[in-house]
Amino acid sequence: MKVSVDGFFDLLLDEIGQNKELQGYYRFWDKKSSGFYFRKAYYCQRLQYIADNVGDNTNLIWDCGCGYGTTAIFLALNGYTVFGSTLEYYFEHIENRLNYWRQFGDLSNISFNYENIFDDKISAETYNVIIAQDTLHHLEPLKEAISILKKVLKPNGRLIAIEENGSNIIQNFKLFLQRGNKRIITIYDDKLEKEILLGNENIKCLRQWKQAFYNQELKLDENSVQYVRLFPPNFISKSNYREIITKEQRLWKQRKMLKNRFFFGLNFVVNN
């Protein structure tokens, strides 16, 4: 990688300091915040996971559910050709962001569109890699969504999933208080001028994801699985930031109950 995760994160902090539109979304912009290193650890581990699994930069990538386009920008700066799609209002702010990032590298290999994947505009066997970061749990109906993802992957392509751990008892309790058991909702999209189904923070555990992809003849790579974020914000500081990450990565591999019930994040790769 020409631009490292840590180097990119520092540049992102500088951008957030200049761009108030991003400050409510990226809550780690204030280094004096008590949760700064807690959020930094989570963000950087997830981005590093993508960097470690995306393959060489001849790969063509679809960032499905790209949000503000941050991951796509990171990959484009590292020489990848990236297409980002989203249904978020953030889409309107992406072009302004590119004005900041162009000073650090060529972004001619990046493009974005506001679209619903169920409109099925992407040709078969287009992408080597699909990135679904905080996206899979929003895609409904899931069976049809996975079928589309499979169709647009090239042979031997892969999907990199960055998700919340659906077995986490604390997060499940919080989500139940927010939405009850209403895991799938219908919303009206003003830009598309139609109703669409949406997973309402419909997070799942590893076993459920594995089965969902298996049903579509896609194989979840067991060796790719990674759990992240165990300790609460007040446990993490500038002085022990790296040490806590190392400890968490050791613990999830040793303690099954901790891994399943208390780690917040879940990353995995699915092979075509």
Side-chain angles (χ1 to χ4, degrees):
M1 291 283 176
K2 293 182 290 186
V3 180
S4 69
V5 169
D6 284 341
F8 182 80
F9 183 80
D10 290 340
L11 294 173
L12 178 61
L13 288 182
D14 180 65
E15 180 198 17
I16 294 169
Q18 300 176 34
N19 187 344
K20 291 183 179 179
E21 290 171 348
L22 300 175
Q23 291 175 9
Y25 184 80
Y26 288 114
R27 291 182 295 159
F28 47 55
W29 71 277
D30 183 2
K31 290 185 178 181
K32 296 180 181 179
S33 166
S34 60
F36 174 80
Y37 285 97
F38 172 75
R39 297 187 181 98
K40 177 182 178 180
Y42 189 56
Y43 178 85
C44 287
Q45 284 182 92
R46 298 169 106 209
L47 188 58
Q48 188 64 59
Y49 184 85
I50 291 172
D52 290 343
N53 287 281
V54 76
D56 65 61
N57 63 11
T58 61
N59 283 339
L60 186 61
I61 300 170
W62 176 20
D63 187 358
C64 178
C66 66
Y68 268 116
T70 306
T71 298
I73 291 169
F74 168 75
L75 292 170
L77 289 174
N78 281 292
Y80 293 88
T81 300
V82 189
F83 167 65
S85 64
T86 187
L87 284 175
E88 296 280 6
Y89 72 91
Y90 317 138
F91 177 77
E92 298 177 356
H93 304 296
I94 292 176
E95 185 58 38
N96 182 50
R97 295 196 66 196
L98 297 182
N99 294 329
Y100 169 84
W101 287 102
R102 286 189 181 102
Q103 63 185 308
F104 305 110
D106 180 15
L107 294 182
S108 61
N109 52 346
I110 191 173
S111 60
F112 298 95
N113 199 16
Y114 188 97
E115 66 181 29
N116 185 358
I117 73 165
F118 296 101
D119 292 339
D120 209 12
K121 297 177 181 178
I122 301 175
S123 301
E125 298 185 6
T126 300
Y127 296 102
N128 303 95
V129 179
I130 296 174
I131 296 170
Q133 184 168 0
D134 294 323
T135 298
L136 290 178
H137 63 260
H138 290 308
L139 299 179
E140 293 293 342
L142 182 61
K143 181 179 179 180
E144 183 181 342
I146 293 176
S147 178
I148 293 168
L149 297 174
K150 176 180 171 60
K151 187 192 81 169
V152 303
L153 271 178
K154 290 183 178 180
N156 301 314
R158 76 193 72 152
L159 179 144
I160 302 172
I162 310 293
E163 276 289 323
E164 294 177 18
N165 175 18
S167 292
N168 182 291
I169 58 176
I170 298 170
Q171 185 64 359
N172 274 317
F173 180 68
K174 287 170 61 178
L175 290 177
F176 180 78
L177 292 179
Q178 292 172 18
R179 51 137 166 85
N181 285 318
K182 198 171 185 180
R183 289 175 169 265
I184 300 174
I185 57 176
T186 301
I187 64 169
Y188 184 81
D189 188 288
D190 291 327
K191 283 184 176 291
L192 299 179
E193 298 182 335
K194 64 180 181 181
E195 289 187 338
I196 60 173
L197 281 181
L198 185 71
N200 187 17
E201 302 302 327
N202 192 12
I203 62 175
K204 295 175 175 60
C205 67
L206 182 65
R207 175 184 53 78
Q208 291 171 312
W209 286 124
K210 183 178 179 180
Q211 186 63 52
F213 283 104
Y214 178 81
N215 290 343
Q216 298 294 317
E217 300 181 340
L218 291 166
K219 185 177 181 180
L220 191 150
D221 181 358
E222 299 279 2
N223 293 324
S224 73
V225 174
Q226 180 189 45
Y227 288 81
V228 292
R229 185 186 274 183
L230 172 66
F231 294 107
N234 59 332
F235 276 61
I236 307 175
S237 65
K238 183 177 180 179
S239 62
N240 70 2
Y241 166 72
R242 300 289 180 188
E243 179 185 342
I244 288 292
I245 291 175
T246 300
K247 187 173 184 178
E248 287 181 338
Q249 287 305 297
R250 184 177 69 250
L251 282 171
W252 79 256
K253 295 170 185 175
Q254 296 174 342
R255 306 290 181 86
K256 184 176 180 180
M257 187 185 72
L258 282 179
K259 174 184 73 175
N260 290 333
R261 299 302 183 189
F262 294 99
F263 271 83
F264 180 85
L266 169 64
N267 306 328
F268 57 86
V269 171
V270 176
N271 294 315
N272 191 8

